Amino acid sequence: MASLIVGIRFNQGGKTYHFDASACPDVEVDEFVIVETSRGKQLGQIALVTDSSQIPGDHNWKPILRKATPRDLVLRQVYEEKEQEALERCQEIGQELGLQGVKFVSAEYSLEGENLIFLYCYEGKGDPKVGKVKTRLNQEFTENNVEFHRIGPRDAAKIIGGMGACGKEIRCCTEFMTDFTPISIKMAKAQGVSLAPTEITGMCGRLRCCLLYEYDLYIEAKRELPRRGKVVATPKGKGKVVRLDPLARKIFVDLGESGVQEFSQEEIKQS
């Protein structure tokens, strides 16, 4: 028999995690619930409701503990306000200790405040020495179990938010992306995008995630078009393909003395 499964997010635009909702069969999308995670009890919001038959593979889903109460919602608000203070104190201690190359990105309290987790990004070699920072924080936040978790530059950019490198008011990763798919320079080349770092690098210092959006469309469209450098026949004579606009199905052909001219896919004959 299929189990009732829900997808839960712990922050807006965050990844969706699946939990068994059999103990709360009347839960609905957008409701808040309490679940047990590796970071302690957390308050999350239901993003989808499905059943185990719709999710392939064998899974061992953790159960929803209960629906959130008004007290839970108020408690989450209280700790959210404290998180910024904790983060700023962590950053201050890091500076006092001369810690180099470490970017402390966020502080997260568990539901009841028993755990205080700091997320940091470090792109140097090996592991940064954050032990002294943790010791100082343990001395100041005596009621909390202080932990440090390292995250990647893309996750850090997602949390920090802000304007995208393209000028978009909210970065794609912050607004709607829930997972990061590997991006390669090959994707930029396939789309004819300039390989200048300023053109293909996002605010995280990595290749822009948007290079993935139209990549499959370009690959599919280019299969039906002649490659650059190939000699083709056009209504105005033979010439060499110098540029392609795959999505518009346009081919630019160098006709020698007549210069480079644009043709549609239907006007080109390949030998």
Side-chain angles (χ1 to χ4, degrees), residues 53-72:
S53 66
Q54 302 301 312
I55 307 174
D58 295 325
H59 303 277
N60 184 24
W61 290 291
K62 289 186 176 181
I64 287 178
L65 299 180
R66 57 180 172 81
K67 289 186 177 184
T69 65
R71 176 184 178 277
D72 294 323

Side-chain angles (χ1 to χ4, degrees), residues 144-190:
N144 316 111
N145 173 39
V146 177
E147 297 179 23
F148 280 80
H149 288 182
R150 183 173 175 177
I151 61 175
R154 284 185 169 168
D155 291 296
K158 177 180 177 67
I159 294 171
I160 294 170
M163 184 176 288
C166 61
K168 194 174 184 293
E169 191 172 342
I170 302 176
R171 296 175 189 169
C172 293
C173 58
T174 301
E175 187 174 16
F176 63 85
M177 293 182 67
T178 57
D179 288 297
F180 292 110
T181 302
I183 310 294
S184 70
I185 199 73
K186 171 181 155 186
M187 294 178 178
K189 291 180 178 178

Side-chain angles (χ1 to χ4, degrees), residues 2-240:
S3 302
L4 179 64
I5 302 299
V6 295
I8 294 177
R9 288 179 182 165
F10 298 100
N11 50 65
Q12 186 177 5
K15 184 177 179 179
T16 300
Y17 297 88
H18 292 98
F19 287 82
D20 188 336
S22 300
C24 301
D26 58 338
V27 291
E28 298 178 356
V29 171
D30 292 334
E31 277 193 294
F32 289 94
V33 294
I34 306 302
V35 295
E36 185 74 46
T37 74
S38 59
R39 300 179 184 180
K41 290 181 182 178
Q42 297 279 14
L43 181 146
Q45 188 171 24
I46 296 177
L48 63 89
V49 177
T50 183
D51 64 70
S52 55
S53 66
Q54 302 301 312
I55 307 174
D58 295 325
H59 303 277
N60 184 24
W61 290 291
K62 289 186 176 181
I64 287 178
L65 299 180
R66 57 180 172 81
K67 289 186 177 184
T69 65
R71 176 184 178 277
D72 294 323
L73 298 176
V74 171
L75 202 59
R76 179 83 285 265
Q77 266 189 322
V78 170
Y79 280 114
E80 280 180 351
E81 293 173 2
K82 290 185 176 182
E83 285 171 351
Q84 185 57 35
E85 297 176 7
L87 176 61
E88 290 174 0
R89 184 59 187 136
C90 179
Q91 292 169 337
E92 289 172 1
I93 293 174
Q95 291 178 350
E96 291 172 9
L97 295 175
L99 192 61
Q100 300 294 319
V102 177
K103 180 187 293 183
F104 293 104
V105 178
S106 73
E108 299 178 0
Y109 280 98
S110 56
L111 181 66
E112 299 288 343
E114 67 275 20
N115 296 324
L116 174 55
I117 299 168
F118 292 92
L119 304 182
Y120 71 92
C121 180
Y122 178 70
E123 296 189 63
K125 294 182 179 179
D127 292 320
K129 298 179 180 179
V130 297
K132 291 183 179 180
V133 179
K134 185 177 179 181
T135 298
R136 288 276 298 275
L137 288 169
N138 272 317
Q139 293 170 349
E140 296 188 21
F141 294 89
T142 55
E143 297 181 356
N144 316 111
N145 173 39
V146 177
E147 297 179 23
F148 280 80
H149 288 182
R150 183 173 175 177
I151 61 175
R154 284 185 169 168
D155 291 296
K158 177 180 177 67
I159 294 171
I160 294 170
M163 184 176 288
C166 61
K168 194 174 184 293
E169 191 172 342
I170 302 176
R171 296 175 189 169
C172 293
C173 58
T174 301
E175 187 174 16
F176 63 85
M177 293 182 67
T178 57
D179 288 297
F180 292 110
T181 302
I183 310 294
S184 70
I185 199 73
K186 171 181 155 186
M187 294 178 178
K189 291 180 178 178
Q191 297 171 68
V193 177
S194 168
L195 299 185
T198 54
E199 295 294 325
I200 60 174
T201 305
M203 302 305 289
C204 59
R206 298 294 187 269
L207 292 174
R208 294 186 188 181
C209 294
C210 57
L211 290 173
L212 178 68
Y213 298 167
E214 296 180 343
Y215 175 66
D216 289 339
L217 292 176
Y218 271 89
I219 295 300
E220 185 63 32
K222 288 177 76 171
R223 285 179 185 154
E224 302 175 6
L225 300 177
R227 293 184 178 181
R228 283 188 296 177
K230 185 172 183 178
V231 176
V232 295
T234 76
K236 297 183 180 181
K238 289 188 175 182
K240 183 183 292 186

Side-chain angles (χ1 to χ4, degrees), residues 238-267:
K238 289 188 175 182
K240 183 183 292 186
V241 176
V242 293
R243 187 161 66 86
L244 301 171
D245 186 346
L247 299 189
R249 297 291 200 275
K250 298 294 183 181
I251 301 160
F252 296 83
V253 182
D254 185 351
L255 297 174
E257 293 183 1
S258 300
V260 176
Q261 296 194 31
E262 174 188 315
F263 298 94
S264 66
Q265 182 180 351
E266 292 73 22
E267 294 177 300

